[in-house]
Amino acid sequence: MLQPYASHPEHSRGRRYAEAPAPTRDDYQRDRDRIVHSTAFRRLVYKTQVFLNHEGDLFRTRLTHSLEVAQLGRSIARELGLNEDLVEAIALAHDLGHTPFGHAGQDALNDCARRADPGGNGFEHNLQSLRVVDELEERYPDFDGLNLTFETREGILKHCSRRNAERLCAAEPGGVAQRFLDGTRPGIEAQLCNLADEIAYNAHDIDDGVRSGLLTLQRLDDIPLFASFSRAARADHPGLGGRRLLFESVRRMLSQQVYDVIAATREALQERRPRSASDARTMPALVCFSDGMQQRGAELKKFLHENLYRHPQVVDTTQRAKEAIRELFDAYVAQPSEMPAAFANQTDQVQAVADYIAGMTDRFALKEHQRLTGRNLF
Ligand code: MG
């Protein structure tokens, strides 16, 4: 039931290294399976989303976040006649390049890489996700990486600085980074994954925020979007409170955002009428929220920034995480032989140290930090 503007595996721009087709799976299904079996995917279970991995067993990790993005993305894709398997592949891979300790880790690693090599690439997690699937996974006899299709790789490279886009295009002319130079959009399934990512983290950060005690149900009523669903839930279930009220409100909020994306995207498709997947790439973003939902989503994000991501307790953890990354980086640059040989023997030392640190889980990074500095930051 794929629509003409969906990505059809038989029209894929293919893989970087030619391979015979699989007998029972199409190319996007095969991409998804390669991602699930990769080493980087298994590491996601011990990587921070917002709360550090050791802070509690029930908080989201990069793995459970990625599964939620895939679930939301597939639901929407099915309804719109888009390619569910491609959505799933992109969603499961979209965070593979994340460092330990969430955004704090990424910012610290970027600062370190720029300081050590001012003319270099710095560190961008989207670019690193592509690096993981293109270069760093070692699973095949004939090539590095997972050799995924163009469409999955394009979705994984969600953002990219102009400088890095130029560098990628020099190595792969007209490839997955070309759109950052041309100002075009990625395929419609990649567009969908970006919104599914947003819907997922806005909802689960509310849930994790309350679980951690940093947010309260009363405070959440300051978010107009959340408050409307919590009011409706209480009207339907008088006396409902506590976790069940939280879950019911979040559930309604998630559903409403999904319905909103479906309706707004249908409208955009009606208006623009893309005839093919490549046609869709040249148009303004087709997968979208309604203006009203966009606005309410922005308020929700602002609330989470002010009250959760910048909460003194989160900021304190963030500072320590950054310190751990900086000290690990300096230790490996000073003494590359502290890294496994595959990294220590690379010619581009800054890139090798960044690759090694980015691949670490939270707990491995802390263990290494303690081994190299003798200090325990947490
Ligand atoms: Mg994400």
Side-chain angles (χ1 to χ4, degrees):
M1 301 301 274
L2 281 189
Q3 294 295 330
Y5 41 78
S7 296
H8 294 246
E10 64 276 20
H11 299 143
S12 170
R13 282 183 55 181
R15 305 180 186 280
R16 295 200 300 164
Y17 307 96
E19 288 185 67
T24 57
R25 296 167 297 162
D26 72 37
D27 277 333
Y28 301 139
Q29 293 169 337
R30 211 172 177 196
D31 278 1
R32 177 215 38 223
D33 298 348
R34 288 179 180 200
I35 291 157
V36 169
H37 289 275
S38 70
T39 308
F41 186 71
R42 283 191 298 282
R43 289 190 178 122
L44 295 178
V45 73
Y46 294 114
K47 287 196 182 207
T48 289
Q49 185 67 25
V50 171
F51 294 93
L52 296 199
N53 197 252
H54 67 261
E55 290 183 294
D57 290 348
L58 295 181
F59 295 123
R60 265 67 174 189
T61 66
R62 291 267 169 220
L63 180 68
T64 57
H65 162 71
S66 301
L67 294 174
E68 290 183 29
V69 176
Q71 180 272 314
L72 290 165
R74 285 192 74 143
S75 292
I76 299 170
R78 193 174 310 137
E79 195 57 28
L80 292 173
L82 306 182
N83 194 309
E84 276 185 61
D85 298 312
L86 176 57
V87 165
E88 189 178 19
I90 296 170
L92 294 179
H94 85 285
D95 274 351
L96 288 180
H98 266 289
T99 62
F101 313 132
H103 280 279
Q106 174 197 311
D107 293 345
L109 194 52
N110 186 33
D111 289 344
C112 291
R114 290 194 180 285
R115 177 165 46 80
D117 181 8
N121 313 327
F123 182 87
E124 296 175 17
H125 71 87
N126 289 294
L127 197 64
Q128 191 68 12
S129 298
L130 186 68
R131 239 180 108 63
V132 167
V133 300
D134 277 358
E135 314 285 342
L136 298 176
E137 281 288 321
E138 298 177 315
R139 304 192 76 83
Y140 293 93
D142 297 331
F143 46 77
D144 288 335
L146 303 177
N147 199 28
L148 304 180
T149 61
F150 176 90
E151 294 74 23
T152 302
R153 297 173 57 238
E154 171 193 48
I156 292 172
L157 190 62
K158 176 173 160 185
H159 295 296
C160 181
S161 64
R162 188 166 182 96
R163 186 157 92 164
N164 279 325
E166 283 165 354
R167 199 176 49 75
L168 288 175
C169 282
E172 185 189 357
V176 287
Q178 187 64 41
R179 71 183 177 90
F180 297 100
L181 305 180
D182 295 348
T184 55
R185 248 69 42 201
I188 194 161
E189 286 83 1
Q191 296 182 24
L192 171 52
C193 283
N194 294 345
L195 286 208
D197 190 18
E198 240 179 78
I199 297 175
Y201 65 67
N202 282 335
H204 65 49
D205 288 353
I206 288 182
D207 183 18
D208 283 353
V210 173
R211 186 182 304 282
S212 68
L214 302 184
L215 297 178
T216 60
L217 262 167
Q218 288 96 308
R219 273 315 307 282
L220 292 176
D221 281 334
D222 292 349
I223 314 169
L225 181 63
F226 183 88
S228 64
F229 295 111
S230 127
R231 252 195 323 272
R234 276 172 297 185
D236 289 348
H237 305 277
L240 188 65
R243 296 210 62 78
R244 283 179 200 255
L245 173 60
L246 175 68
F247 290 147
E248 180 61 15
S249 312
V250 169
R251 190 180 69 74
R252 290 175 185 225
M253 191 178 83
L254 272 177
S255 302
Q256 199 52 50
Q257 285 177 291
V258 166
Y259 304 148
D260 185 87
V261 168
I262 292 169
T265 304
R266 278 210 173 111
E267 214 171 290
L269 288 165
Q270 276 293 336
E271 189 188 326
R272 299 275 172 186
R273 302 195 172 276
R275 281 156 309 166
S276 67
S278 29
D279 208 13
R281 286 181 172 84
T282 63
M283 297 177 171
L286 292 164
V287 184
C288 54
F289 288 116
S290 65
D291 290 345
M293 186 59 85
Q294 181 72 36
Q295 166 70 28
R296 276 169 287 162
E299 292 161 357
L300 165 57
K301 262 192 225 159
K302 185 160 175 277
F303 175 92
L304 287 173
H305 268 281
E306 287 167 1
N307 297 283
L308 183 62
Y309 310 142
R310 282 191 231 128
H311 189 286
Q313 201 175 308
V314 172
V315 170
D316 174 65
T317 319
T318 299
Q319 293 309 338
R320 292 182 213 211
K322 286 186 171 178
E323 201 177 329
I325 296 285
R326 277 195 297 268
E327 294 184 351
L328 276 176
F329 188 93
D330 291 343
Y332 294 132
V333 167
Q335 197 65 263
S337 60
E338 294 289 352
M339 295 187 292
F343 293 93
N345 299 336
Q346 295 289 324
T347 38
D348 186 344
Q349 273 298 305
V350 171
Q351 181 69 64
V353 171
D355 285 340
Y356 186 48
I357 294 178
M360 292 179 181
T361 60
D362 286 16
R363 58 187 196 172
F364 182 74
L366 290 177
K367 213 163 85 184
E368 271 294 278
H369 180 267
Q370 196 164 8
R371 179 179 76 81
L372 292 165
T373 65
R375 291 185 307 121
N376 185 348
L377 287 172
F378 291 96

